[in-house]
């Protein structure tokens, strides 16, 4: 390995701020004054914006190095395409600057905003920083400038600010916007129409603000929904401001008996049934995150509500796990008052969970006009299967062993039918403190159709702090080891349990039956 040649010059990456020269830092002005060479990037047909910001500090005796991009769009005949053309340009530009550094000169590379935040300087930095002493002078970013010009907080408390390039695929933009707290989308210009569609698809368009050329001549701000796509330059951003401030002002209905924001705006409320997956935030889909963030009220079993972060101005209504009908009607009554309500459910809300209770109540008066949506979540069966391998790789059936809402005779008949069809079984609600015999009885029924060594995945609290996933033989399944947080996956005649070279035991069900093996 050869070491990089060390030069005698010094390299500076100088952040100039968002455009107004008065927002340059004292250190930026000092570095420009000390530099021998002033370098700046620009397009072929337009003057350098970076140079125009620093123009008052550039002297006649400065050596100027304009670094002119060969392309500004993806149209190029370069054999390596757009990326190849830029790579060659950055390499050539770096060598031009290296010649000055080798001669002992101090080189200041000017950068709009901050040099290491979506800036061109970083490409010089990566190639030259190891060859000479280097200093990066931070600058005010366009994100900070946009927030200041809007007079709107970007992030408050425990909110997470998301920065997105508009060049992302539309579906990716939509998903990230749906799950974000506050967010900023940069690099608009030709990506504006796509960004607007993503904002609309994610339900965030009404809150989106637009900032163009913040702090510069020609600055424009306003509601993003009102902006004409053809008028949007590259130097513009979309801003989804902090929701915390809005929540304090708009959603504080619990104070002084105020009405909810949707009711004040003359809009109807709605109920969204949200699946949180088997455990915490890692299992939430982006759409579910968005629904939980925008809700005025959260309704649910207290254990599931505890998985959702507390937000300013948002009401939380927890209850026990045996009042599904009452909880559903309570949520619908809130929506009748014009509030946006998220009913929080574990796993997938449509699998032995709250979606049925809400839709059943919503099919009766006085709730038939209330909009209801159901957002899916990762099921307990899918989560347990993923931890164990792929036991659900072929046909399977999901059966709840709880006889609280249906008689045991129905459960037994379904167990017999599914087992005789050689289906893998996902057994929900197998046991609790008050239900201790069902697992043993189910084991007896299944052994009438399955071999004693049939693999059974016994998964408890998947994704949670008490996670325990084990593989046992059907004949050795112990009811005492099964609790409320447990799901059982019982293999078919084809399911295999194998211990791999590292000692890990995995389970999978082949996707095909060999000829003559079907029962």
């Amino acid at each position: 390995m050869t070491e990089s040649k060390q030069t005698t010059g010094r390299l500076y990456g100088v952040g100039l701020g968002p455009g107004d020269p008065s927002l340059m830092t004292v250190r930026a002005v000092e570095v420009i004054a000390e530099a021998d060479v002033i370098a700046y990037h620009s397009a072929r047909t337009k003057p350098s914006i970076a140079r125009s910001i620093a123009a008052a500090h550039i002297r006649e005796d400065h050596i100027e190095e304009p670094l002119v991009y060969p392309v500004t769009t993806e149209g190029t005949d370069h054999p390596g395409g757009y990326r190849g053309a830029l790579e060659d340009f950055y390499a050539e530009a770096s060598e031009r600057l290296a010649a000055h550094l080798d001669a002992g000169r101090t080189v200041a590379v000017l950068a709009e905003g901050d040099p290491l935040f979506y800036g061109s300087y970083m490409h010089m930095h990566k190639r030259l920083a190891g060859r000479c002493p280097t200093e990066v002078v931070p600058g005010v970013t366009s994100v900070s400038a946009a927030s200041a010009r809007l007079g709107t907080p970007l992030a408050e408390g425990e909110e997470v600010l998301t920065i997105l390039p508009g060049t992302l695929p539309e579906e990716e933009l939509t998903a990230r916007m749906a799950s974000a707290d506050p967010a900023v989308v940069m690099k608009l210009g030709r990506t504006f129409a796509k960004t607007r569609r993503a904002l609309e698809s994610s339900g965030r368009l009404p809150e989106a603000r637009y900032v163009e050329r913040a702090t510069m001549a020609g600055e424009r701000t306003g509601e993003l929904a009102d902006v004409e796509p053809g008028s949007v330059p590259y130097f513009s951003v979309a801003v989804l401001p902090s929701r915390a401030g809005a929540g304090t002002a708009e959603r504080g209905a619990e104070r002084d008996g105020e009405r909810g924001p949707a009711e004040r705006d003359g809009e109807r409320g709605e109920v969204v049934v949200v699946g949180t997956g088997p455990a915490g935030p890692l299992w939430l889909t982006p759409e579910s995150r968005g629904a939980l963030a925008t809700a005025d009220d959260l309704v649910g079993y207290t254990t599931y509500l505890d998985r959702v972060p507390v937000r300013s101005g948002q009401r939380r209504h927890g209850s026990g796990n045996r009042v599904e009908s009452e909880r559903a009607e309570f949520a619908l009554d809130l929506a009748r008052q014009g509030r946006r309500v998220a009913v929080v459910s574990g796993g997938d809300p449509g699998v032995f969970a709250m979606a049925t209770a809400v839709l059943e109540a919503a099919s009766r008066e006085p709730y038939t006009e209330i909009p209801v949506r159901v957002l899916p979540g990762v099921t307990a069966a899918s989560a347990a299967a993923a931890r164990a391998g792929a036991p659900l790789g072929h046909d399977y059936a999901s059966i709840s062993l709880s006889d609280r809402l249906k008689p045991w005779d129905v459960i037994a008949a379904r167990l017999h039918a599914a087992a005789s069809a050689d289906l893998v079984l996902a057994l929900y609600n197998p046991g609790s403190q008050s239900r201790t015999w069902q697992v043993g009885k189910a084991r007896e029924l299944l052994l009438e159709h399955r071999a004693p060594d049939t693999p059974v995945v016994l998964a408890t609290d998947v994704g949670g702090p008490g996670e325990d996933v084990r593989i046992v033989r059907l004949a050795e399944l112990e009811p005492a080891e099964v609790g409320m947080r447990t799901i059982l996956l019982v293999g078919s005649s084809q399911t295999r349990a194998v211990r791999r070279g590292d000692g890990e035991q995995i389970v999978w069900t082949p996707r095909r039956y060999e000829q003559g093996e079907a029962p």
Side-chain angles (χ1 to χ4, degrees):
M1 181 183 296
T2 59
E3 295 185 0
S4 299
K5 176 184 177 182
Q6 292 294 310
T7 67
T8 56
R10 188 176 185 89
L11 175 68
Y12 290 94
V14 184
L16 303 176
D20 183 345
S22 68
L23 293 178
M24 291 174 59
T25 64
V26 172
R27 182 57 181 155
V29 173
E30 290 175 348
V31 167
I32 293 171
E34 296 168 3
D36 302 305
V37 180
I38 304 296
Y40 43 83
H41 291 83
S42 70
R44 284 184 296 182
T45 58
K46 298 178 181 178
S48 168
I49 294 177
R51 190 194 186 286
S52 68
I53 297 172
H57 306 283
I58 298 176
R59 304 185 307 271
E60 289 187 2
D61 62 326
H62 273 134
I63 301 170
E64 296 192 34
E65 278 287 359
L67 306 176
V68 182
Y69 281 104
V71 291
T72 53
T73 66
E74 297 191 6
T76 177
D77 57 2
H78 189 282
Y82 178 74
R83 290 187 179 277
L86 287 183
E87 284 298 312
D88 284 354
F89 164 69
Y90 292 135
E92 185 272 336
S94 297
E95 288 307 310
R96 286 170 56 191
L97 299 185
H100 291 292
L101 295 167
D102 290 342
R105 300 186 185 105
T106 297
V107 178
V109 182
L110 307 183
E112 307 99 286
D114 182 271
L116 297 180
F117 184 72
Y118 290 116
S120 298
Y121 166 75
M122 67 181 66
H123 300 288
M124 307 296 99
H125 186 85
K126 288 186 289 187
R127 289 166 171 82
L128 297 172
R131 298 171 59 171
C132 62
T134 305
E135 179 183 335
V136 177
V137 180
V140 177
T141 67
S142 59
V143 172
S144 299
S147 174
R149 302 307 288 170
L150 289 172
T152 304
L154 266 182
E156 180 178 333
E158 295 181 351
E159 288 184 317
V160 177
L161 174 63
T162 299
I163 308 294
L164 302 168
T167 50
L168 287 174
E170 186 172 332
E171 286 189 352
E172 183 71 16
L173 278 173
T174 301
R176 290 180 179 270
M177 289 173 184
S179 64
D181 291 332
V184 175
V185 185
M186 304 182 63
K187 304 182 180 181
L188 292 183
R190 293 181 299 113
T191 71
F192 178 80
K194 175 181 64 176
T195 299
R196 191 188 189 285
R197 290 193 302 269
L199 285 163
E200 190 163 19
S201 298
S202 64
R204 306 294 297 272
L205 183 59
E207 63 191 283
R209 305 293 299 279
Y210 174 81
V211 182
E212 175 183 317
R213 296 187 173 92
T215 79
M216 302 168 68
E219 175 184 288
R220 180 167 58 137
T221 64
E223 304 295 326
L224 188 136
D226 298 334
V227 176
E228 289 294 329
S231 67
V232 177
Y234 180 82
F235 286 96
S236 56
V237 297
V239 180
L240 295 170
S242 168
R243 284 168 161 165
T248 301
E250 299 174 9
R251 294 196 297 195
E254 55 217 291
R255 302 190 316 270
D256 305 322
E258 295 177 12
R259 293 173 295 169
E263 185 180 9
R264 286 197 298 271
D265 294 339
E267 301 174 3
R268 289 191 304 173
E270 70 164 354
V271 173
V272 183
V273 192
V274 178
T276 62
L282 286 175
W283 302 86
L284 274 174
T285 67
E287 188 176 22
S288 293
R289 285 182 182 275
L292 293 172
T294 57
D296 302 313
D297 296 79
L298 302 181
V299 175
Y301 175 34
T302 301
T303 298
Y304 299 147
L305 281 184
D306 289 343
R307 298 175 182 171
V308 182
V310 174
R311 294 178 180 274
S312 174
Q314 193 176 62
R315 292 178 176 181
R316 302 165 73 92
H317 311 274
S319 54
N321 68 339
R322 293 193 176 186
V323 290
E324 288 91 348
S325 297
E326 294 89 338
R327 189 154 57 228
E329 291 183 1
F330 178 74
L332 290 162
D333 281 329
L334 288 173
R336 288 181 67 202
Q337 300 169 29
R339 300 187 70 80
R340 297 178 298 244
V341 184
V343 176
V344 181
S345 181
D348 183 288
V351 180
F352 304 120
M354 278 301 300
T356 299
V358 172
L359 291 171
E360 183 178 1
S363 299
R364 303 190 301 262
E365 294 294 345
Y367 307 121
T368 56
E369 300 298 321
I370 300 298
V372 176
R373 293 186 291 137
V374 179
L375 302 184
V378 177
T379 68
S382 296
R387 289 291 199 254
L392 306 182
H394 209 307
D395 302 333
Y396 71 95
S398 297
I399 299 175
S400 172
L401 294 190
S402 173
D403 57 354
R404 189 169 67 85
L405 299 176
K406 63 179 183 287
W408 178 256
D409 288 347
V410 172
I411 298 172
R414 290 177 178 176
L415 286 172
H416 273 298
S420 63
D422 202 30
L423 296 172
V424 175
L425 296 173
L427 301 182
Y428 281 73
N429 307 310
S432 67
Q433 290 181 344
S434 61
R435 294 186 297 105
T436 58
W437 58 269
Q438 284 86 347
V439 172
K441 187 61 177 176
R443 180 188 60 197
E444 293 177 17
L445 294 174
L446 293 174
L447 283 170
E448 296 177 15
H449 303 274
R450 301 284 162 89
D453 62 351
T454 298
V456 177
V457 177
L458 196 155
T460 301
D461 194 27
V462 174
E467 178 176 313
D468 180 37
V469 179
R470 291 181 291 123
I471 300 165
V472 301
R473 299 170 69 246
L474 177 59
E476 298 171 353
L477 176 62
E478 287 293 336
E481 297 177 346
V482 176
M484 288 184 62
R485 299 282 293 164
T486 302
I487 185 169
L488 302 176
L489 305 180
V490 182
S492 71
S493 66
Q494 304 298 300
T495 303
R496 303 287 182 260
V498 175
R499 193 169 297 281
R500 303 179 71 241
D502 59 1
E504 178 191 22
Q505 191 175 20
I506 60 170
V507 178
W508 84 92
T509 302
R511 295 185 60 193
R512 65 173 62 87
Y513 276 83
E514 297 300 331
Q515 194 165 8
E517 286 189 337

